[in-house]
Amino acid sequence: MGLVKGSRRDGLQYNAAVKFLFLFMDGIGLGEDVDHNPLARTAMPNLERLLDGKRLLASTAPHKSAQATLLPLDANLGVADLPQSATGQATLVTGKNVPALIGKHYGPKPTPDIGSILEESNLFSELAARGYRSTLLNAYPQGYFDAIESGKRLYSAIPWAVTSAGVALKTAEDLMAGGAFSADFTGRGWREQLGYKDSPLMEAAEAGRRLAAVAASYDLAFFEYWPSDFAGHRQDMEAATALLTNFDAVLGGLVEAWPHDEGLILITSDHGNMEDLSTRRHTANPVPGLVIGSPDLRQRFCADLETLVDVTPAILGFYPEG
């Protein structure tokens, strides 16, 4: 863990040895306390403990507790219509208002114009240029790589940014070796849906503890949790409740093992969706900016955090050039 020196936007200097875990939850907004919001209906004791007993709802944010800060982040970015995945994710990892640059929200997969923005500069390429190690912790099965190679499948914004930075995507071999994670964290999906019968299988809390340990070997580790967006589009309350219960158990293990004085966890999203199962469409709701770590580190990180555009600059503020 290297010593990081940086400047706050108010000009004050600080030194911090920082590790960063970026947990991206696709399609999670801050919604209302209503029956069609699984975040209002599902018991999530570990998340609620971080928020002083409150749930991940619009009425909770902003909120600051002993371990976490929750901010509402604008995903609309001054552009008409509803936020979409490609432009929202590209904004998160570039610090640029991508919808404004191309004139619209767009998704799910990036256009060549969005790809050019991702390739010009992104969180992963900037960290590499500054001498820091970053990774995407998701494991991808061989079929994914074959489909990309054949042109039958396109990268989404996150792996596009990662690969354009020269960072290799993790494979089934990485999963087997314990250095990468399945989309559900536990490995069950790889066994039951992808046919990898020998893939590691963990209880959710253990997966969280393992996530903390693997992330600690990088300056910044990123994980893309996409099942949330699938459940939202399918308007599937049962699936949404099950995945939130699993995610909360993972979060419990992660928070237990995380070095709070030495690093930050950010949980955020690209647009709203799953918080409103009354519609298959995305929502215009703000997305959560849930930051977990010591009060001092959180204060520095959250000082100017208001929209998706602010996320990458806030992270890079802990990893200066030189």
Side-chain angles (χ1 to χ4, degrees):
M1 184 181 295
L3 184 66
V4 179
K5 182 177 181 179
S7 298
R8 289 169 52 172
R9 295 185 192 182
D10 58 13
L12 298 178
Q13 298 292 313
Y14 62 87
N15 293 298
V18 175
K19 293 292 184 181
F20 213 100
L21 176 58
F22 192 142
L23 280 178
F24 168 70
M25 292 187 76
D26 199 340
I28 294 286
L30 291 171
E32 302 302 319
D33 187 358
V34 291
D35 286 343
H36 54 257
N37 181 358
L39 289 157
R41 291 182 54 179
T42 306
M44 299 181 71
N46 294 302
L47 177 61
E48 291 161 25
R49 193 173 299 115
L50 290 172
L51 296 175
D52 296 326
K54 301 178 184 294
R55 299 198 175 193
L56 199 64
L57 301 171
S59 59
T60 302
H63 184 82
K64 184 177 180 180
S65 72
Q67 283 188 290
T69 299
L70 176 64
L71 297 174
L73 302 184
D74 173 31
N76 297 287
L77 304 174
V79 177
D81 212 346
L82 296 175
Q84 300 296 324
S85 297
T87 44
Q89 292 169 29
T91 297
L92 277 171
V93 297
T94 63
K96 300 174 183 176
N97 188 335
V98 177
L101 289 173
I102 70 166
K104 60 182 178 180
H105 296 289
Y106 187 83
K109 299 297 177 66
T111 62
D113 286 346
I114 297 171
S116 295
I117 296 169
L118 287 165
E119 292 174 3
E120 180 181 6
S121 176
N122 64 65
L123 176 60
F124 305 96
S125 61
E126 282 296 313
L127 287 170
R130 299 177 188 196
Y132 299 98
R133 296 181 68 234
S134 65
T135 193
L136 178 59
L137 291 175
N138 295 75
Y140 293 86
Q142 185 57 47
Y144 175 88
F145 295 101
D146 293 342
I148 292 291
E149 182 67 24
S150 69
K152 294 180 180 178
R153 185 168 189 162
L154 300 174
Y155 283 134
S156 57
I158 303 305
W160 194 322
V162 170
T163 55
S164 72
V167 178
L169 297 182
K170 294 191 180 295
T171 66
E173 287 72 23
D174 293 306
L175 180 74
M176 300 296 182
F181 297 84
S182 63
D184 62 0
F185 296 105
T186 65
R188 190 171 303 279
W190 276 60
R191 287 196 179 193
E192 297 177 354
Q193 299 172 27
L194 298 179
Y196 285 78
K197 301 301 183 184
D198 296 327
S199 65
L201 190 62
M202 295 178 282
E203 294 297 325
E206 176 57 30
R209 290 187 287 270
R210 180 65 187 165
L211 187 63
V214 175
S217 61
Y218 299 91
D219 295 296
L220 178 137
F222 194 107
F223 185 84
E224 182 176 7
Y225 187 72
W226 49 261
S228 45
D229 195 50
F230 272 58
H233 284 301
R234 293 172 179 170
Q235 298 176 277
D236 189 335
M237 179 62 74
E238 183 178 357
T241 298
L243 70 86
L244 287 174
T245 299
N246 182 72
F247 184 88
D248 187 68
V250 173
L251 182 64
L254 172 62
V255 171
E256 173 190 333
W258 186 253
H260 294 274
D261 291 332
E262 301 173 358
L264 288 170
I265 301 167
L266 170 66
I267 301 174
T268 192
S269 189
D270 50 353
H271 55 74
N273 180 4
M274 197 182 77
E275 80 282 3
D276 185 356
L277 296 186
S278 71
T279 176
R280 292 182 182 273
R281 303 185 71 200
H282 294 172
T283 75
N285 289 330
V287 301
L290 179 63
V291 186
I292 303 165
S294 73
D296 180 56
L297 292 179
R298 280 186 281 132
Q299 182 177 354
R300 296 168 185 168
F301 180 72
C302 295
D304 297 284
L305 203 61
E306 297 179 354
T307 80
L308 301 191
V309 175
D310 302 322
V311 171
T312 278
I315 295 172
L316 292 176
F318 285 93
Y319 302 101
E321 299 178 66

